[in-house]
Amino acid sequence: MISASFLNSKDIRDTIIKLNNTDVDYIHIDVLDGNYVGNAKKSLPFKEMRHIYKYTDKRLDVHLMVEYPSKYIKDYATLNTEYISFHLDSKEDIISNLKLIKSYGIKSGLVLNPDQQVSSIIPYLPYLDLIIVMGVVPGLGGQAFLSNTPNKLKELATLKKEYKEFFFKISVDGGINNLTINKVKDYTDIIVSGNYITSSTNYQEKITSLR
């Protein structure tokens, strides 16, 4: 499945409308508080993002790059959201926030940064519907894909086989294009791609090349 990010888009409304006219599975929403990722600006405030339903009926895949996820979960749970994911090193209790997401009937996820080990996710498996592996350092779109990412995805795929009692999907986010997709597609359920799709003149062609 493909989840398209508009993080680098200069005209978000236009980008979302164009994505809605493709067969992309999800719209990936990056939420930045301006603190968790120090080198990245804040994302659009929720008072603007809440109008996204006017431009797309696609399900949303929400990625909270924030220090305090609980401040955002309630708002994004009111949209057409399937997943809300946040980072392992956020500043609140992880299990409490995973339970909070699930209390709204939304699927919950955690995000592994490039410097974090797959083993760190094991205590939270009973609460997870999604695990996102970052293929770049979080925060800025258009970065080059990190070479160790496929190894982490393989490790997660192995973990999934070992823990058959848990049902989570594996996603990769960052640096995905028509070349890097071949390194990750065998170990992932959801591919997140931004710049590769939205900087092109034919969104559908780029999405199809990732399938």
Side-chain angles (χ1 to χ4, degrees):
M1 302 182 87
I2 309 296
S3 186
S5 166
F6 54 83
L7 182 62
N8 268 16
S9 174
K10 293 179 180 177
D11 186 339
I12 292 174
R13 176 180 171 275
D14 181 64
T15 298
I16 292 171
I17 291 171
K18 287 179 179 176
L19 287 171
N20 195 55
N21 291 324
T22 70
D23 67 5
V24 77
D25 300 285
Y26 299 106
I27 304 290
H28 184 86
I29 298 183
D30 290 297
V31 181
L32 295 94
D33 62 3
N35 295 310
Y36 177 78
V37 180
N39 61 346
K41 63 182 180 180
K42 292 179 73 172
S43 54
L44 283 179
F46 183 76
K47 65 181 180 180
E48 294 183 44
M49 283 306 307
R50 67 189 174 92
H51 298 296
I52 192 172
Y53 72 90
K54 295 179 180 179
Y55 311 113
T56 182
D57 54 9
K58 302 283 187 183
R59 297 284 279 168
L60 306 180
D61 164 28
V62 178
H63 177 185
L64 302 179
M65 285 184 268
V66 302
E67 292 185 335
Y68 299 97
S70 64
K71 292 182 178 180
Y72 301 84
I73 290 168
K74 181 178 179 180
D75 283 340
Y76 282 91
T78 65
L79 301 181
N80 187 24
T81 301
E82 180 142 349
Y83 294 101
I84 297 179
S85 304
F86 60 93
H87 286 256
L88 267 172
D89 53 356
S90 58
K91 294 187 175 182
E92 295 177 313
D93 182 72
I94 290 175
I95 291 177
S96 294
N97 277 328
L98 292 173
K99 287 181 175 179
L100 179 60
I101 293 168
K102 286 182 172 295
S103 74
Y104 292 104
I106 308 291
K107 295 174 183 174
S108 61
L110 280 176
V111 186
L112 279 172
N113 285 339
D115 61 346
Q116 293 170 330
Q117 301 299 315
V118 168
S119 58
S120 61
I121 212 96
I122 292 176
Y124 310 107
L125 291 181
Y127 307 93
L128 292 177
D129 300 292
L130 181 69
I131 299 172
I132 301 176
V133 173
M134 293 301 299
V136 297
V137 176
L140 296 175
Q143 296 182 66
F145 184 72
L146 294 173
S147 60
N148 190 49
T149 308
N151 293 330
K152 293 180 80 169
L153 291 166
K154 288 178 191 176
E155 194 176 342
L156 258 182
T158 300
L159 198 70
K160 193 173 183 177
K161 291 177 181 177
E162 291 176 356
Y163 290 85
K164 295 186 189 307
E165 67 270 34
F166 303 127
F167 301 94
F168 58 87
K169 292 189 181 298
I170 300 171
S171 177
V172 62
D173 179 4
I176 298 299
N177 55 40
N178 60 319
L179 299 177
T180 54
I181 184 66
N182 296 316
K183 300 177 181 180
V184 303
K185 63 182 180 181
D186 291 339
Y187 316 106
T188 53
D189 302 294
I190 300 173
I191 301 291
V192 180
S193 183
N195 205 48
Y196 173 68
I197 297 171
T198 60
S199 65
S200 74
T201 56
N202 189 329
Y203 287 13
Q204 184 60 63
E205 181 180 49
K206 296 297 185 181
I207 291 165
T208 300
S209 73
L210 298 175
R211 292 200 183 277

